[in-house]
Amino acid sequence: QVWSDYLNVHLHPKSIYVIRQYMHDGECGCLEAFGQGERLLQDPGCIEELEDRLHFYVEECDYLQGFQVLCDVHDGFSGVGAKVTELLYDEYSGKGILTWGLTPVTSNVGVNSNVWIFFSSQDSQKNFYRLMNTALGIVHLSSHSSLFCPLSLSGSLGIK
């Protein structure tokens, strides 16, 4: 029922961490705000599980040079990514952290030729969340990364 059902590559069980409350049938709905993502990794059980999985792979390395982090910055995963990069920065100081901040292409919103398009309050709230998540994500991710690279097919990073 989800994209991972069609994944042809079999991933190691330690490489996947499922956030139960934000699954498609989860109790909380969608992860839409930066603070929600940050709060997830303030839970001691969650952070311990993440550290265990991370240490499992780090111990397999002969010569660890650094990390690459791919993170959506337009939704609540920007908060998750910010906490993960902070964890990497604190635990593995001196190792490089290359962070890719990903944003989707948004549909053309706003003025189209001479026609004004008006939005409901729900659309403006989503746009506000997207803007705030992107701004907070860029600031936090870049402060704990050796290099932060925003990536989008849209020239505006998905911000209108």
Side-chain angles (χ1 to χ4, degrees), residues 19-86:
I19 303 170
R20 298 270 177 225
Q21 61 265 41
Y22 292 106
M23 290 178 60
H24 290 282
D25 57 354
E27 62 203 40
C28 294
C30 63
L31 186 59
E32 62 184 352
F34 183 89
Q36 287 176 308
E38 265 189 329
R39 228 172 298 124
L40 278 174
L41 292 184
Q42 290 173 345
D43 174 36
C46 180
I47 198 75
E48 183 180 322
E49 183 70 28
L50 183 65
E51 286 176 341
D52 287 346
R53 290 167 187 267
L54 179 63
H55 291 165
F56 173 79
Y57 283 105
V58 168
E59 290 169 3
E60 294 291 317
C61 294
D62 291 332
Y63 180 67
L64 178 66
Q65 294 179 342
F67 301 91
Q68 284 194 56
V69 178
L70 282 84
C71 180
D72 289 336
V73 293
H74 69 282
D75 57 15
F77 284 103
S78 61
V80 173
K83 284 306 225 182
V84 167
T85 55
E86 184 179 341

